């Protein structure tokens, strides 16, 4: 069964600084990987996904993530943080399980952006 | 703006009440989901409907009763809930299920308080 570990439940950065949110996964087969963002009082919104092909994936709002199979990682980055990036971020993994696919979420990382 | 619409946005109900949550999508998606999210936690899957048929029930108590009248609509009927059922209830849809690489599109949720 697959699992996701997000290192750091809280990350705080200054406006303009690099954002790095860490995600490691466990999967017995090639995984599909996702990052979702949740702003206060809203649902989750897809930032980006990795299925196959290029390992560096670009998403919305300037975010990108790199799939590293050897490290079983899918870290999320953004070169320069904006105040509007403050939100909860969830990494998720999905794999085929004999026709019963489920999306498994990490516990989330709350990003705070300081002025 | 989200393409998955949930009503109501907020709901307060007593333990003896019967109420329903509603969800609608017009993206032509064939799979719809109910998730429950407690504060500072990731969403927890409750039900999955594929082509209007219940495909997954994650051992949810019978006081939660899902219904999928057609491929665009999903309801969650609530009866005799407990205070611990207070949470954000999220509806989501995807192109297909099972399809591990199909991302979820979430609504903004219904904030439920059980008194």
């Amino acid at each position: 069964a697959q699992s996701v570990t997000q290192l750091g439940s809280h990350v705080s950065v200054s406006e303009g600084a690099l954002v790095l949110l860490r995600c490691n996964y466990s999967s017995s087969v090639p995984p599909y990987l996702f990052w979702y963002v949740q702003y206060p009082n809203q649902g989750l919104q897809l930032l980006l996904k990795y299925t196959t092909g290029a390992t560096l994936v670009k998403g919305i709002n300037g975010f990108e993530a790199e799939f590293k199979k050897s490290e079983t990682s899918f870290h999320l980055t953004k070169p320069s943080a904006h105040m509007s990036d403050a939100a909860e971020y969830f990494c998720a993994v999905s794999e085929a399980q004999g026709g019963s696919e489920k999306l498994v979420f990490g516990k989330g990382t709350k990003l705070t952006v300081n002025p | 703006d989200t393409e998955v619409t949930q009503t109501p946005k907020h709901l307060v109900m007593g333990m003896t009440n019967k109420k329903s949550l509603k969800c609608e999508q017009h993206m032509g998606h064939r799979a719809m989901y109910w998730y429950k999210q407690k504060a500072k936690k990731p969403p927890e899957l409750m039900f999955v409907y594929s082509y209007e048929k219940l495909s997954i029930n994650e051992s949810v108590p019978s006081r939660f009763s899902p219904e999928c009248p057609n491929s665009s609509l999903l309801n969650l009927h609530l009866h005799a809930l407990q205070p611990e059922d207070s949470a954000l209830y999220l509806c989501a849809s995807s192109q297909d299920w099972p399809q591990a690489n199909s991302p979820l599109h979430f609504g903004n949720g219904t904030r439920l308080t059980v008194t």
Side-chain angles (χ1 to χ4, degrees), chain B residues 67-110:
Chain B
E67 178 195 21
C68 190
N70 60 57
S71 59
S72 299
L73 295 174
L74 186 66
N75 299 320
L76 186 62
H77 303 298
L78 314 173
H79 174 55
L81 294 192
Q82 304 297 311
E84 58 265 29
D85 295 322
S86 298
L88 180 67
Y89 288 84
L90 294 165
C91 174
S93 69
S94 67
Q95 189 75 33
D96 259 311
W97 185 90
Q99 188 169 335
N101 61 351
S102 184
L104 298 178
H105 296 252
F106 285 86
N108 283 331
T110 294

Side-chain angles (χ1 to χ4, degrees), chain A residues 38-50:
Chain A
Q38 186 174 29
Y39 299 102
N41 300 314
Q42 292 188 23
L44 280 71
Q45 179 183 5
L46 180 69
L47 273 178
L48 49 78
K49 67 174 183 178
Y50 169 79

Side-chain angles (χ1 to χ4, degrees), chain B residues 21-99:
Chain B
L21 310 184
K22 298 185 183 299
C23 175
E24 189 170 4
Q25 59 89 12
H26 293 290
M27 293 178 283
H29 289 174
R30 308 307 301 190
M32 297 187 77
Y33 309 72
W34 281 116
Y35 281 84
K36 174 183 178 180
Q37 187 179 26
K38 301 284 274 185
K40 303 184 189 303
K41 298 289 187 182
E44 300 173 19
L45 182 64
M46 300 175 70
F47 304 102
V48 180
Y49 274 84
S50 177
Y51 289 85
E52 303 159 39
K53 293 187 177 180
L54 184 63
S55 299
I56 290 182
N57 176 343
E58 289 287 277
S59 301
V60 178
S62 60
R63 58 186 183 267
F64 295 91
S65 176
E67 178 195 21
C68 190
N70 60 57
S71 59
S72 299
L73 295 174
L74 186 66
N75 299 320
L76 186 62
H77 303 298
L78 314 173
H79 174 55
L81 294 192
Q82 304 297 311
E84 58 265 29
D85 295 322
S86 298
L88 180 67
Y89 288 84
L90 294 165
C91 174
S93 69
S94 67
Q95 189 75 33
D96 259 311
W97 185 90
Q99 188 169 335

